[in-house]
Amino acid sequence: MARVVVDVMLKPEILDPQGQAVQRALPRLGFDKIADVRQGKRFELEVEGPVDEAALARIHEMAETFLANTVIEDFVVKVES
């Protein structure tokens, strides 16, 4: 079985209140010099069979229609070894 990872992040121009909350909390916890924090989602998919072009195209379609809101989010599909 192969693992395919889909990372979903808000587009850079979209406000990220959860990331901002984490960024504001970090100095109080002793973590300074962090200029920005963006929060996202990670999906790990275990794929049966080979991860060929057809499988990747299908996963890309899944990410575009179900895993990410492409109006406000970008996503990246990667195969892990």
Side-chain angles (χ1 to χ4, degrees), residues 31-43:
F31 301 100
D32 50 358
K33 298 189 180 184
I34 303 299
D36 192 26
V37 175
R38 303 285 292 177
Q39 180 174 315
K41 300 179 278 190
R42 176 183 169 102
F43 298 92

Side-chain angles (χ1 to χ4, degrees), residues 4-39:
V4 177
V5 174
V6 180
D7 287 315
V8 180
M9 293 292 294
L10 287 170
K11 292 182 178 185
E13 62 271 14
I14 302 297
L15 182 66
D16 183 359
Q18 290 175 309
Q20 288 177 341
V22 170
Q23 182 183 2
R24 285 191 304 272
L26 289 174
R28 292 192 307 264
L29 298 171
F31 301 100
D32 50 358
K33 298 189 180 184
I34 303 299
D36 192 26
V37 175
R38 303 285 292 177
Q39 180 174 315

Side-chain angles (χ1 to χ4, degrees), residues 52-59:
D52 54 13
E53 291 296 323
L56 283 175
R58 192 76 174 130
I59 291 168

